[in-house]
Amino acid sequence: MNYTTTEIATIVKAQKRDYRDHIITALLTDSRSLTFPEETLFFALVTERNDGHRYIKDLYRKGVRDFVVEHSIPGEEEMDDANFIVVKDTLDALQQLAAAHRRRFQIPVIGVTGSNGKTTVKEWLYQLLQPDYNTVRSPRSYNSQIGVPLSVWQIGPKTEMAIFEAGISQPDEMVHLEEIIKPTLGLITNIGEAHQEGFQTIQQKCLEKLILLKACDCIIYDGDNELIGECVEKLCFGCREIAWSRKDRDKPLYISKITKGSDSTRIEYTYLQYHCSFTIPFVEDASIENAIHCLAVMLYFNRPPEVIAERMARLTPVAMRMEVKEGINNCLIINDSYNSDINSLTIALDFQNRRAAAKGMRRTLILSDIYQTGLPPASLYRKVADIVLHKGIERLIGIGPVISDNAYLFNLKKEFYPSTESFLAQLDPADFHNELILIKGAREFHFELISETLELKQHETILEVNLDAIVHNYNLFKSKLRPETKVICMVKAFGYGAGSYELAKTLQDRGADFLAVAVADEGAELRKAGITMPILVMNPEMSSFRTLFSYYLEPEIYSFELLKAIIAEGEKLGLAGYPVHIKIDSGMHRLGFEEKDIPRVVEILNDQTVVLARSVFSHFAGSDEPRFDEFSHQQIDTFTRCADYLQQHSKHKILRHILNTAGILRFPEYQMDMVRLGIGLYGVSPIAEPCGLETVSTLKTTILQIKSLPAGETVGYGRKGVLSRDSRIAAIPIGYADGLDRHLSNGKGCVVVNGKRAPIVGNICMDVCMIDVTDIDCQPGDRVEIFGEQLPVDEIAETLGTIPYEILTSVSTRVKRIYYRE
């Protein structure tokens, strides 16, 4: 359904003015995601970290002519053919427009909320219901104050059902999402500790989430969950309920028996006196709970038991990861092969776009047939062709009979195959070189086979890096700071072992203020990869000045020798006002100017024009330990005196920063102008108290071989691993050359296999080590976690008598990194 500019201005209660009416089909909040400029309405959202008004001129140059703004911008008069829809709050206007759009449709709308499982339930419901309804759903995890309006905008004249998830992190947020979604059927999965920091109690959070369900015809929830049940009763919804139970036979939906097999689960249930069952291809408790929620929805829509059973048996995992992997012949692979629809295609192409531009790679798309759009094939693939063209795809490989029939619509280098099998049969690896390949396909095409074929084959040890966890941890620390406080994100030492480029790109997209690296070469590599934000070099060397200047890297200055040398080199190049960061030694006694040196520093700075002090900072010696608090406060006092003196003798503002991760948590009153976020960004808390961080890096490998050995046998070099019982010993392809510390040998360390801990047996070798799996049900090929969610790095560090930093940064560069987004 299309809107005119004037209609939208009326809906969002904009200032009255005459508009040049354009047809609007696309809403845009991220300037990097532009596809069809002539049909786009851009909302200039204003956040703590960014202001969308700054991107208007660039979007205008790209063809956008409709903007929702909060105020005028410089140069507006030069854009006399543009519409500026002026409102008090652009986010509120976006939500008003989405709410008005939703009111135009009288269709079933399922609203899903809860702490965990929302996305899985939403995707499974889509799998279960799409054969019966032309359905739209939230793309990926578009469940926020911005994501929900963009999701609801997808509803069109041919839509027969919609499924949207809603997530919140603060009180008073759900009321806005409820007004936009207006679900007819509401479902709450569960209530946990995720995003708890915005709420005083878990009851408060539960009540806030239940606001989504207030006007539903029916609500679905776990009737055995006392917290949810009490909150539902307190709110007095007065609508139909399907409160399923495993304990109470009187509940409308009673789960009478759950039987787990090796790779599937049989669920028996009673509904309205009918006894039925179904089987799902999962055994995890969370999957069972999610399936029961979906069962309740299917029963609400009167799906027959045999249909439910048939579709439940075909449920597939929700692979919510968009993985970036190294490919053959200097290619990179973006594997997004868990669904294929217009909206998720656009999101994936944007993800690809940002990485291709940075690395200078050719953009290739491998795309399957797209299902369940409600559009005639010619109309659908004409739209796909337009999107592909606008997103800069240079090579298209279409797989499937329908996209092949519409090949004539694509005006670029292209090839088409009727099936995945036919493509793989003709695939020549030499045909792919220096390409960023997006693999995007519907599940039934099994594009994971393509991904596996194009991946660079290395040994089976990988480091998985969760980019969403980086974002979560960054946002968590941001929530503890004043809005105006800037953040330096430490990505030195190859991003604490996780890989600096992908992390830097993610942090740049999130609006971080600075990155910090150890040496100039690290910063230069980031610049070559397309990182444009300020980069601070913590340990510049005299020999690196040309690199610093060539890539506009900002050095830490810690000595008179370094200060004088960089000024002399800058004078040769005719530089002026080059930013540097003055390091104060306030008590750690590693690097930096002492307090007595500051007058001389000021004298040198004021006697030249080559460099300019952009910031002044210092390092704590023991901010993570309360026993050093008195000394930490002495450091703060020393630093403050030095910073005050520098500022008093400077004509420009000098930023101050002393807080590291521990300092942010323990001394937030001293956040000053800026803080440095290091180990906490990577999911490791430097203090004893839990603070809600998420695990970023998971080191995994696989079992190569399992041997049954009798008691008394020895395992490994030096015959150090003496078996005290008949044992099953597994060999895994990771050793000290990969970063597995040899001091974990002979039972001091362990790994996790299928949820259980397996001690290391014998001495760790260079490329292999052995583990005892006698008490674990496992086989060759099973995954092994070296560290991660199940075995935290700080626990390993404690075992070794070291710090988590060493564990993370010791992972060898020969270990393949895989980056993913949820």
Side-chain angles (χ1 to χ4, degrees):
M1 184 173 292
N2 300 331
Y3 294 79
T4 66
T5 307
T6 300
E7 286 176 320
I8 290 173
T10 302
I11 290 170
V12 301
K13 301 179 178 63
Q15 292 180 9
K16 293 188 180 300
R17 58 173 67 180
D18 293 328
Y19 299 99
R20 293 176 177 82
D21 263 343
H22 304 137
I23 298 298
I24 300 298
T25 64
L27 306 185
L28 182 68
T29 60
D30 186 334
S31 62
R32 299 163 299 183
S33 300
L34 179 65
T35 303
F36 302 112
E38 64 279 357
E39 301 174 14
T40 291
L41 175 63
F42 177 67
F43 287 79
L45 301 181
V46 180
T47 67
E48 291 181 357
R49 309 304 303 169
N50 209 352
D51 185 344
H53 295 79
R54 61 194 285 198
Y55 305 107
I56 289 175
K57 285 186 178 180
D58 184 54
L59 287 169
Y60 178 83
R61 285 192 292 270
K62 293 177 179 178
V64 179
R65 292 296 181 267
D66 294 272
F67 304 92
V68 179
V69 298
E70 295 181 8
H71 54 75
S72 59
I73 64 167
E76 184 176 313
E77 65 281 354
E78 299 171 6
M79 297 179 276
D80 55 1
D81 60 338
N83 290 313
F84 291 94
I85 302 172
V86 183
V87 297
K88 291 182 179 179
D89 186 310
T90 48
L91 175 59
D92 183 58
L94 172 66
Q95 294 177 342
Q96 287 184 50
L97 178 58
H101 183 67
R102 164 69 182 91
R103 289 193 294 269
R104 294 192 176 191
F105 298 91
Q106 302 300 314
I107 60 171
V109 174
I110 304 172
V112 183
T113 190
S115 295
N116 304 105
K118 297 188 295 295
T119 301
T120 297
V121 168
K122 176 201 68 182
E123 292 296 329
W124 280 1
L125 286 175
Y126 180 76
Q127 293 180 36
L128 293 165
L129 292 168
Q130 67 166 333
D132 303 321
Y133 304 90
N134 183 12
T135 305
V136 299
R137 71 208 192 275
S138 307
R140 294 196 173 271
S141 296
Y142 271 40
N143 59 20
S144 66
Q145 299 291 307
I146 299 171
V148 166
L150 298 178
S151 298
V152 170
W153 185 256
Q154 299 175 83
I155 302 176
K158 295 183 180 295
T159 304
E160 298 171 323
M161 176 178 288
I163 310 169
F164 302 122
E165 60 175 294
I168 57 171
S169 58
Q170 299 289 334
D172 304 319
E173 288 185 336
M174 190 62 87
V175 64
H176 303 292
L177 302 187
E178 191 278 334
E179 183 64 26
I180 300 167
I181 297 174
K182 283 295 179 194
T184 57
L185 173 64
L187 189 157
I188 182 166
T189 56
N190 52 50
I191 296 293
E193 297 299 325
H195 305 294
Q196 182 62 36
E197 59 268 15
F199 300 91
Q200 295 179 357
T201 66
I202 197 167
Q203 289 81 5
Q204 181 192 19
K205 181 167 69 172
C206 184
L207 290 168
E208 174 77 15
K209 287 182 179 288
L210 285 170
I211 289 174
L212 178 67
L213 283 53
K214 70 177 186 180
C216 290
D217 299 329
C218 178
I219 62 174
I220 291 169
Y221 63 95
D222 178 359
D224 297 333
N225 188 308
E226 294 182 6
L227 171 63
I228 295 178
E230 290 171 0
C231 290
V232 169
E233 186 176 352
K234 183 175 182 178
L235 291 174
C236 301
F237 283 113
C239 62
R240 179 184 170 190
E241 294 181 12
I242 301 180
W244 58 267
S245 175
R246 306 185 199 192
K247 304 174 183 177
D248 188 349
R249 295 177 178 271
D250 295 328
K251 292 289 185 183
L253 173 57
Y254 172 57
I255 308 302
S256 55
K257 189 175 182 180
I258 295 175
T259 307
K260 291 185 180 182
S262 59
D263 56 5
S264 63
T265 302
R266 176 181 172 83
I267 301 173
E268 300 176 39
Y269 64 95
T270 301
Y271 184 68
L272 301 180
Q273 307 306 313
Y274 290 95
H275 303 283
C276 309
S277 67
F278 62 92
T279 299
I280 57 172
F282 306 96
V283 295
E284 304 85 2
D285 290 341
S287 296
I288 294 169
E289 183 174 307
N290 292 334
I292 296 171
H293 285 308
C294 293
L295 167 66
V297 173
M298 294 291 279
L299 293 171
Y300 173 80
F301 286 108
N302 298 315
R303 299 297 90 192
E306 60 274 15
V307 171
I308 294 174
E310 185 265 330
R311 293 181 188 173
M312 285 284 190
R314 291 191 287 110
L315 285 177
T316 56
V318 178
M320 293 175 286
R321 302 177 172 187
M322 197 182 297
E323 296 181 332
V324 182
K325 303 179 179 180
E326 293 181 61
I328 57 175
N329 304 328
N330 200 34
C331 290
L332 279 180
I333 311 298
I334 300 176
N335 182 16
D336 191 23
S337 56
Y338 87 100
N339 68 19
S340 183
D341 60 70
I342 287 287
N343 294 292
S344 66
L345 173 62
T346 302
I347 293 169
L349 286 169
D350 286 337
F351 184 83
Q352 179 191 34
N353 238 347
R354 295 166 197 170
R355 278 142 185 84
K359 293 183 175 291
M361 303 175 111
R362 185 170 64 160
R363 280 167 263 187
T364 297
L365 171 64
I366 301 178
L367 181 67
S368 77
D369 284 351
I370 296 175
Y371 297 138
Q372 292 293 322
T373 65
L375 294 173
S379 299
L380 168 63
Y381 290 103
R382 186 173 291 109
K383 186 174 183 180
V384 172
D386 286 342
I387 292 172
V388 166
L389 178 66
H390 278 86
K391 296 299 182 183
I393 292 297
E394 297 158 272
R395 179 186 183 189
L396 172 70
I397 298 172
I399 296 178
V402 184
I403 193 173
S404 297
D405 287 344
N406 290 273
Y408 67 94
L409 295 169
F410 296 90
N411 186 23
L412 74 167
K413 183 178 181 181
K414 58 192 176 183
E415 52 195 280
F416 293 86
Y417 302 87
S419 66
T420 303
E421 292 74 18
S422 62
F423 168 68
L424 290 172
Q426 300 178 58
L427 188 152
D428 182 353
D431 290 340
F432 295 87
H433 184 75
N434 197 36
E435 297 171 54
L436 183 54
I437 305 167
L438 172 60
I439 299 175
K440 183 73 176 157
R443 293 176 185 277
E444 44 266 60
F445 282 87
H446 297 289
F447 272 14
E448 66 274 8
L449 300 175
I450 299 176
S451 178
E452 291 170 4
T453 302
L454 294 177
E455 285 176 32
L456 181 64
K457 298 301 185 289
Q458 300 179 358
H459 67 65
E460 297 298 316
T461 300
I462 60 172
L463 185 73
E464 288 189 345
V465 182
N466 185 342
L467 297 178
D468 281 337
I470 283 282
V471 172
H472 167 85
N473 296 338
Y474 173 81
N475 289 338
L476 186 145
F477 281 98
K478 279 295 298 177
S479 70
K480 301 178 184 299
L481 302 172
R482 298 187 303 266
E484 65 272 18
T485 301
K486 298 181 184 299
V487 179
I488 301 174
C489 293
M490 311 300 291
V491 295
K492 61 181 182 177
F494 194 49
Y496 286 57
S500 53
Y501 167 67
E502 288 292 341
L503 302 185
K505 187 69 180 70
T506 299
L507 293 165
Q508 181 168 274
D509 290 347
R510 295 302 303 175
D513 301 284
F514 280 82
L515 297 176
V517 297
V519 295
D521 286 346
E522 286 184 308
E525 290 303 312
L526 291 178
R527 286 282 187 254
K528 292 174 186 177
I531 301 302
T532 59
M533 62 191 295
I535 299 176
L536 197 161
V537 178
M538 305 298 286
N539 301 112
E541 299 167 328
M542 299 285 190
S543 60
S544 69
F545 290 156
R546 291 301 176 103
T547 301
L548 289 171
F549 297 145
S550 297
Y551 293 98
Y552 206 74
L553 308 173
E554 303 180 16
E556 165 189 314
I557 302 297
Y558 52 79
S559 70
F560 288 115
E561 293 79 11
L562 185 59
L563 178 57
K564 292 176 182 178
I566 198 169
I567 291 171
E569 189 67 24
E571 283 177 342
K572 294 178 186 177
L573 300 174
L575 300 179
Y578 197 89
V580 298
H581 301 260
I582 305 300
K583 173 69 174 293
I584 304 299
D585 180 2
S586 60
M588 186 171 175
H589 303 319
R590 182 174 62 180
L591 293 173
F593 295 101
E594 296 181 40
E595 186 172 3
K596 64 182 176 60
D597 298 327
I598 302 305
R600 177 63 179 147
V601 172
V602 167
E603 184 180 334
I604 294 173
L605 287 173
N606 289 342
D607 197 35
Q608 54 80 54
T609 58
V610 174
V611 300
L612 197 69
R614 188 169 192 180
S615 84
V616 56
F617 70 105
S618 190
H619 269 89
F620 281 124
S623 59
D624 54 336
E625 297 191 52
R627 63 195 175 105
F628 295 135
D629 282 0
E630 182 178 351
F631 186 77
S632 294
H633 281 98
Q634 290 177 18
Q635 286 194 267
I636 292 169
D637 291 341
T638 299
F639 170 68
T640 301
R641 289 193 301 271
C642 295
D644 285 347
Y645 191 94
L646 275 170
Q647 186 63 74
Q648 289 164 9
H649 294 82
S650 175
K651 296 179 181 179
H652 67 277
K653 168 71 174 176
I654 301 176
L655 301 173
R656 307 176 184 211
H657 48 108
I658 191 171
L659 297 190
N660 54 4
T661 298
I664 296 170
L665 296 171
R666 301 197 61 245
F667 305 111
E669 66 273 24
Y670 295 109
Q671 59 189 265
M672 301 181 187
D673 301 303
M674 198 151 58
V675 298
R676 298 186 302 275
L677 180 54
I679 194 70
L681 187 63
Y682 301 91
V684 179
S685 175
I687 62 175
E689 297 79 10
C691 52
L693 296 174
E694 292 184 358
T695 299
V696 170
S697 297
T698 301
L699 182 59
K700 293 182 176 180
T701 189
T702 57
I703 294 177
L704 294 176
Q705 184 182 34
I706 299 176
K707 293 184 176 182
S708 296
L709 300 173
E713 285 291 316
T714 60
V715 176
Y717 285 123
R719 304 193 71 190
K720 293 290 183 69
V722 181
L723 301 180
S724 60
R725 59 173 180 170
D726 294 346
S727 305
R728 296 174 72 236
I729 303 299
I732 57 177
I734 184 171
Y736 54 78
D738 301 291
L740 183 61
D741 196 300
R742 197 167 180 273
H743 293 93
L744 294 170
S745 300
N746 302 305
K748 188 171 184 180
C750 66
V751 298
V752 177
V753 180
N754 295 335
K756 295 183 178 180
R757 297 197 172 193
I760 294 172
V761 181
N763 284 325
I764 293 171
C765 310
M766 181 182 290
D767 309 303
V768 178
C769 79
M770 285 67 72
I771 57 175
D772 186 341
V773 295
T774 307
D775 302 317
I776 302 174
D777 182 13
C778 60
Q779 58 188 352
D782 282 359
R783 277 292 182 192
V784 181
E785 181 178 301
I786 309 303
F787 64 68
E789 195 75 43
Q790 300 176 85
L791 187 55
V793 291
D794 45 7
E795 182 179 331
I796 299 173
E798 185 175 351
T799 299
L800 291 170
T802 186
I803 54 177
Y805 300 76
E806 183 178 349
I807 308 300
L808 291 172
T809 58
S810 294
V811 180
S812 169
T813 54
R814 80 175 188 176
V815 173
K816 179 168 67 174
R817 270 73 173 168
I818 293 179
Y819 304 92
Y820 66 92
R821 301 294 303 265
E822 297 293 346

